[in-house]
């Protein structure tokens, strides 16, 4: 049998991971998307309907336009076919064996039209994507990657996705199998690209930082940038949570008990240096919880891929669970 893989689509990279079993999950490879793919991603991102929770208002009306419900728009099918071909070739070179993509993690900003196009493209490419449950939206993939799907009680997860083009914050409500992003904000002005510094360390992923938590050689631009991120994160948490159950509103926008935060998950394609600054910010922000909520044992670049890989392993072991495909506009059901 060909190697079953899970993959994730990021703004720049497509990543792949393999799960030999439920506990042994490893990254396999990453490939940089083509210029056409990266442009496609940013075009969809610009049109994503996102609530700006920090200001308590939707983003500008022009940004609320959904990705057109036309499967030929932006040449989506051809772009996604090319992306799948690239990650397949790279994974087979890395493993020295044939692979089969059996689960995918898709970005929060890709709506049902793109998800359904991906389903069609994957099948046309010969991959074993038989049901909607093999296509995960990123919040669920992140939850699965960190084994948070084993908790059946109601709780919330905060996602922090830090990339060159944007910072994305989301509070995800989890109740049983349901996993819904209830509050989210994307901040292009806080992406790593805004830093006007030497890109020899900010554009590459490296591990050559002597003292990452001590913020070595921090430039004035970095200091200002990460202070703004700290402020944005603090305000986001304040807007989305309350300290007492009597403060929970009875109608949207919803708020959640701060004590119900089960995990804070860091992901993204930013440089190691930038991600280390974010780790420090998250540790400071959530230190008052009195419990370890920061989930950071997985390389942030591979969070989605590892979650998808676990889904791929589950599909191999119990394929009947994943056979149903539901073509629902704007949403595809995900793995239990």
């Amino acid at each position: 049998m060909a190697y079953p893989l899970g993959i994730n689509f990021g703004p720049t990279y497509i990543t792949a991971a393999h799960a030999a079993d439920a506990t042994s999950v490893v990254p396999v490879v990453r490939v940089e998307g083509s210029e056409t793919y990266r442009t496609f991603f940013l075009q969809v991102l610009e049109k994503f309907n996102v609530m700006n929770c920090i200001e308590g208002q939707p983003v500008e009306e022009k940004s609320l336009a959904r990705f057109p419900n036309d499967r030929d728009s932006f040449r989506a099918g051809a772009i996604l076919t090319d992306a799948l071909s690239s990650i397949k070739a790279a994974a087979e070179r890395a493993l020295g064996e044939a692979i089969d993509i059996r689960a995918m993690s898709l970005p929060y900003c890709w709506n049902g039209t793109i998800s359904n196009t991906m389903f069609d493209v994957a099948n046309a490419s010969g991959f074993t994507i038989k049901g909607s449950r093999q296509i995960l939206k990123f919040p669920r993939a992140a939850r699965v990657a960190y084994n948070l799907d084993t908790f059946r009680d109601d709780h919330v997860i905060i996602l922090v996705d830090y990339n060159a083009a944007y910072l994305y914050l989301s509070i995800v409500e989890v109740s049983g199998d349901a996993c819904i992003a209830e509050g989210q904000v994307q901040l292009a002005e806080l992406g790593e690209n805004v830093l006007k510094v030497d890109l020899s360390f900010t554009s590459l992923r490296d591990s050559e930082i002597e003292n990452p938590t001590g913020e070595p050689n921090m430039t004035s631009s970095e200091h200002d940038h990460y202070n703004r991120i700290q402020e944005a994160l603090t305000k986001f948490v304040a807007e989305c949570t309350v300290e007492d159950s009597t403060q929970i509103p009875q109608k949207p926008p919803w708020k959640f008990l701060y004590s119900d935060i089960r995990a804070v998950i860091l992901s993204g394609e930013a440089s190691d240096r930038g991600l280390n600054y974010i780790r420090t910010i998250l540790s400071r922000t959530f230190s008052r919880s009195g419990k370890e909520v920061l989930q950071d044992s997985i390389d942030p670049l591979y969070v989605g891929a590892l979650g998808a890989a676990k889904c791929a392993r589950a599909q191999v072991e119990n394929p009947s669970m994943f056979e149903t495909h539901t073509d629902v506009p704007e949403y595809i059901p995900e793995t239990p």
Side-chain angles (χ1 to χ4, degrees):
M1 181 180 70
Y3 256 76
L5 296 188
I7 64 172
N8 177 75
F9 294 87
T12 301
Y13 297 104
I14 302 103
T15 52
H18 170 66
D21 53 49
T23 58
S24 179
V25 190
V26 294
V28 172
V29 72
R30 70 175 186 186
V31 295
E32 185 172 357
S34 66
E35 182 178 353
T36 303
Y37 168 84
R38 299 193 304 272
T39 300
F40 164 77
F41 193 107
L42 292 179
Q43 286 173 330
V44 176
L45 187 70
E46 289 172 359
K47 296 178 181 296
F48 179 62
N49 182 5
V50 63
M51 178 66 75
N52 186 339
C53 297
I54 291 182
E55 300 299 333
Q57 298 178 359
V59 292
E60 300 180 27
E61 188 65 30
K62 67 178 182 179
S63 299
L64 293 177
R66 299 296 295 180
F67 182 79
N69 288 322
D70 177 353
R71 296 189 181 190
D72 292 326
S73 295
F74 295 101
R75 304 185 307 281
I79 293 169
L80 298 176
T81 297
D82 179 68
L84 286 177
S85 176
S86 296
I87 193 66
K88 177 181 185 293
E92 290 181 339
R93 285 194 300 270
L95 294 169
E97 296 189 36
I99 64 97
D100 185 12
I101 296 171
R102 290 183 176 242
M104 303 176 179
S105 165
L106 304 189
Y108 65 91
C109 59
W110 288 13
N111 67 10
T113 300
I114 306 177
S115 298
N116 289 320
T117 299
M118 177 59 77
F119 180 90
D120 296 339
V121 165
N123 277 275
S125 300
F127 299 119
T128 309
I129 302 290
K130 300 300 183 184
S132 311
R133 292 179 182 273
Q134 292 167 265
I135 301 179
L136 296 75
K137 284 296 181 70
F138 181 79
R140 189 178 297 275
R143 179 190 177 207
V144 172
Y146 277 104
N147 298 316
L148 297 170
D149 53 319
T150 60
F151 295 98
R152 310 307 295 175
D153 61 322
D154 295 353
H155 58 275
V156 295
I157 298 169
I158 290 180
L159 301 179
V160 179
D161 191 47
Y162 186 44
N163 298 281
Y166 61 91
L167 171 70
Y168 171 73
L169 307 174
S170 176
I171 187 163
V172 179
E173 181 182 18
V174 178
S175 180
D177 289 337
C179 181
I180 303 170
E182 292 288 2
Q184 53 193 336
V185 60
Q186 64 184 37
L187 301 167
E189 68 272 21
L190 293 181
E192 192 177 32
N193 272 349
V194 303
L195 289 172
K196 305 300 182 183
V197 295
D198 180 4
L199 295 182
S200 63
F201 60 77
T202 59
S203 64
L204 301 176
R205 296 182 54 79
D206 59 65
S207 300
E208 301 175 357
I209 303 173
E210 295 181 2
N211 183 14
T213 58
E215 301 175 351
N217 304 317
M218 192 176 222
T219 68
S220 59
S221 295
E222 288 176 310
H223 184 273
D224 293 342
H225 177 71
Y226 291 108
N227 272 346
R228 292 177 65 205
I229 289 179
Q230 174 76 76
E231 293 170 1
L233 179 61
T234 300
K235 193 166 186 179
F236 177 79
V237 173
E239 290 287 344
C240 294
T241 65
V242 294
E243 298 293 337
D244 188 275
S245 59
T246 61
Q247 299 173 303
I248 296 177
Q250 299 303 306
K251 60 181 181 179
W254 304 117
K255 294 194 176 188
F256 303 90
L257 281 174
Y258 183 87
S259 59
D260 283 343
I261 297 175
R262 175 65 52 78
V264 178
I265 297 176
L266 175 62
S267 62
E269 299 179 352
S271 68
D272 284 349
R273 182 181 178 93
L275 288 166
N276 282 325
Y277 288 141
I278 299 298
R279 290 183 178 97
T280 301
I281 290 170
L282 294 177
S283 295
R284 292 170 180 167
T285 302
F286 295 99
S287 61
R288 66 186 176 96
S289 66
K291 56 185 179 182
E292 284 294 324
V293 295
L294 178 58
Q295 302 292 314
D296 191 33
S297 60
I298 298 172
D299 183 336
L301 180 64
Y302 284 95
V303 170
L306 265 65
K310 289 187 175 184
C311 179
R313 171 52 54 184
Q315 193 278 335
V316 170
E317 296 174 351
N318 191 357
S320 63
M321 285 181 60
F322 296 84
E323 289 178 350
T324 303
H325 175 68
T326 304
D327 188 26
V328 180
E330 304 300 336
Y331 177 72
I332 282 192
E334 296 148 0
T335 183

